[in-house]
Amino acid sequence: MVDLDMYIKKECVAMLLAGGQGSRLYALTQDMAKPAVPYGGKYRIIDFPLSNCTNSGIDTVGVLTQYQPLVLNDYIGNGQPWGLDKTRGGVHVLPPYETSSGKSWFEGTANAIYQNINFIERYNPEYVVVLGGDHIYKMDYSKMLAFHKENDADCTIAVLNVSMEEATRFGIMICDPNEPNRIIDFEEKPAHPRSTLASMGIYVFTWEKLRKYLVKNEEEANAKRDAGESWSKDFGKDIIPMMREDNQRLFAYNFEGYWKDVGTLDSLWDANMDIIDPNVPLDLYDDSWKIYSRNPIMPPQYQGENAQVENSVVAEGSDIDGSVDFSVIFSGVTVETDATINYSIVMPGAVIKSGATVEYAIVGENTIVESNAHVGAKPETMDNRDDWGIAVVGHNQVIKENQVVAPKQMVPDIRKK
């Protein structure tokens, strides 16, 4: 039996969905969950929602893990880097577990929250914030919560205005023209969008209502499964449409600022290049909204007499004696004399040996690129522009001396498996 005196009532609890495989990141998520993928020289993707929670005054966070959780679990630890190492509240890693009725993996985003109803009710919250673990952005959830309260909403969905072409890739909100921000319809990845308000996968729910619809969805989905019918347990496919059909108060909260879904290799590369671009509104140096991370204890970066570093981010513990331009170099990276790195991401502990070239590429953690190897290529060198793309080398790989990794090539190429 749970001793409720151990817990303190929280107005709002955050639930962070961090269990996805991240299959579109291929080799980079073969051995780790997508939210654990390194980003920006010193961070991992999960640092952003965790830091947003801390900066927003939300001190109780459940992190739902499932796929390859070891790196992510070690990284989160007791939550100290984000100020979430609390006796009452703090961060809790919540994997699937076995009960007296059996064991089950999470069967969708809604089911993941459903399986952790007991955790949420420990804190008897009035509101629950549901977050994804694969987005790069800075957002004050307390402002979204205030908007939710002002509108007496049952569910508030953060939305971003996108182009009509992009709208086909998102869940799209249609609002009442007579009541701004009141959602009257929802379309999941429509071929012909009626709006450009795209869901960011960030929700504020009134807990009493969310609990009701989680239970309803669970019961209906299980009945369909037992009858041999198609079923799902998902927020976008099930919970939001069910609430809309029941005329619950659904509102769209407009977000203005930088937001990037880093669920693909191209978007991950783009997001890293964005922090080098002074025209991109993602300020990682803002003391009023810090992005916290668990940083390795390493000496300062060292640049040798042959080093040429321009337009790049270079993290601590790196030893640079080659040429680096328009690139993001993580901690503990070695770039030897006469090595060249352009428009690339080189993740922690990688070694780029003398004479090697890495351009328009992503190189994973602890990977070695041997002398005179060539990873990636400039777009202008391709006879057919459609043949060009980012080259990717996964974690803990060795690219042999004189080996060539062509544009769009992946090492190892798990797409064939």
Side-chain angles (χ1 to χ4, degrees):
M1 179 177 291
V2 175
D3 182 1
L4 294 178
D5 291 336
M6 291 176 60
Y7 304 100
I8 188 170
K9 178 177 172 61
K10 303 287 184 179
E11 181 187 32
C12 184
V13 168
M15 300 296 281
L16 204 168
L17 299 164
Q21 180 178 354
S23 58
R24 292 179 298 164
L25 291 180
Y26 299 104
L28 297 179
T29 51
Q30 192 173 15
D31 299 311
M32 68 174 67
K34 180 164 53 174
V37 171
Y39 166 80
K42 62 174 291 182
Y43 306 103
R44 292 184 187 265
I45 296 170
I46 199 170
D47 287 328
F48 287 80
L50 287 178
S51 297
N52 287 338
C53 286
T54 295
N55 291 325
S56 301
I58 298 174
D59 66 2
T60 304
V61 184
V63 179
L64 286 73
T65 64
Q66 180 161 282
Y67 173 80
Q68 294 284 7
L70 181 60
V71 173
L72 189 62
N73 292 356
D74 285 348
Y75 185 73
I76 293 172
N78 66 352
Q80 183 272 332
W82 307 273
L84 294 172
D85 52 335
K86 299 184 180 297
T87 303
R88 296 183 175 181
V91 65
H92 300 258
V93 176
L94 303 171
Y97 56 89
E98 185 172 4
T99 68
S100 58
S101 59
K103 55 187 177 181
S104 174
W105 292 110
F106 296 146
E107 297 175 318
T109 53
N111 177 256
I113 305 296
Y114 172 83
Q115 288 197 36
N116 286 283
I117 284 176
N118 288 342
F119 167 78
I120 296 171
E121 293 195 327
R122 284 178 168 186
Y123 299 100
N124 190 24
E126 296 176 50
Y127 307 100
V128 172
V129 178
V130 178
L131 307 169
D134 53 359
H135 304 143
I136 303 296
Y137 67 112
K138 295 165 70 172
M139 182 177 182
D140 189 343
Y141 303 137
S142 68
K143 292 182 179 179
M144 184 175 173
L145 179 58
F147 176 89
H148 180 87
K149 295 178 188 176
E150 289 166 7
N151 288 282
D152 190 26
D154 298 309
C155 171
T156 298
I157 303 171
V159 297
L160 195 70
N161 224 326
V162 299
S163 68
M164 193 61 74
E165 292 74 23
E166 290 179 297
T168 59
R169 300 189 293 108
F170 292 93
I172 296 298
M173 309 296 142
I174 294 92
C175 292
D176 187 341
N178 299 315
E179 189 176 359
N181 301 111
R182 178 75 184 268
I183 298 170
I184 58 174
D185 205 356
F186 172 81
E187 299 176 318
E188 182 68 24
K189 298 180 180 178
H192 304 287
R194 290 185 283 151
S195 163
T196 57
L197 292 178
S199 171
M200 298 167 62
I202 300 167
Y203 310 95
V204 174
F205 289 96
T206 299
W207 171 236
E208 182 182 4
K209 288 291 178 71
L210 175 59
R211 191 187 194 286
K212 170 186 171 182
Y213 283 97
L214 289 173
V215 172
K216 181 180 179 182
N217 174 231
E218 189 73 17
E219 291 173 348
E220 291 184 359
N222 289 344
K224 288 179 180 178
R225 178 168 54 190
D226 293 344
E229 301 174 16
S230 61
W231 57 274
S232 61
K233 301 176 180 181
D234 183 81
F235 278 100
K237 295 177 182 177
D238 302 292
I239 301 298
I240 304 304
M242 288 166 65
M243 294 184 74
R244 180 185 58 78
E245 289 167 8
D246 288 349
N247 293 316
Q248 299 299 315
R249 292 181 61 80
L250 308 181
F251 282 81
Y253 176 78
N254 288 282
F255 174 74
E256 294 182 1
Y258 181 91
W259 179 85
K260 179 81 77 171
D261 181 336
V262 287
T264 67
L265 293 169
D266 285 344
S267 63
L268 178 65
W269 184 84
D270 286 341
N272 276 273
M273 293 298 106
D274 283 345
I275 66 173
I276 302 169
D277 187 344
N279 298 315
V280 172
L282 177 64
D283 184 3
L284 298 178
Y285 300 92
D286 181 3
D287 285 338
S288 68
W289 200 271
K290 293 182 178 179
I291 302 300
Y292 302 95
S293 64
R294 185 178 295 281
N295 293 320
I297 300 174
M298 287 190 169
Q301 59 167 270
Y302 173 77
Q303 295 186 19
E305 61 180 2
N306 299 305
Q308 294 182 328
V309 179
E310 296 183 280
N311 310 306
S312 298
V313 170
V314 181
E316 68 270 30
S318 294
D319 186 344
I320 312 294
D321 202 41
S323 174
V324 177
D325 196 9
F326 284 104
S327 294
V328 176
I329 307 299
F330 283 76
S331 57
V333 167
T334 298
V335 182
E336 294 185 353
T337 306
D338 295 327
T340 300
I341 302 175
N342 292 316
Y343 290 92
S344 293
I345 304 162
V346 183
M347 293 183 174
V351 177
I352 314 300
K353 293 202 170 182
S354 179
T357 298
V358 175
E359 49 191 357
Y360 292 90
I362 301 174
V363 176
E365 292 189 62
N366 302 313
T367 281
I368 299 173
V369 180
E370 296 279 9
S371 298
N372 301 314
H374 200 126
V375 179
K378 297 181 177 69
E380 56 267 28
T381 64
M382 306 297 294
D383 293 333
N384 184 349
R385 185 63 169 76
D386 291 338
D387 292 335
W388 181 84
I390 301 301
V392 178
V393 181
H395 309 298
N396 304 302
Q397 301 297 310
V398 176
I399 302 302
K400 297 179 181 179
E401 188 172 348
N402 298 315
Q403 183 177 344
V404 174
V405 180
K408 286 189 177 179
Q409 189 177 344
M410 185 181 301
V411 179
D413 194 347
I414 65 170
R415 293 169 296 190
K416 297 177 181 177
K417 295 183 179 180

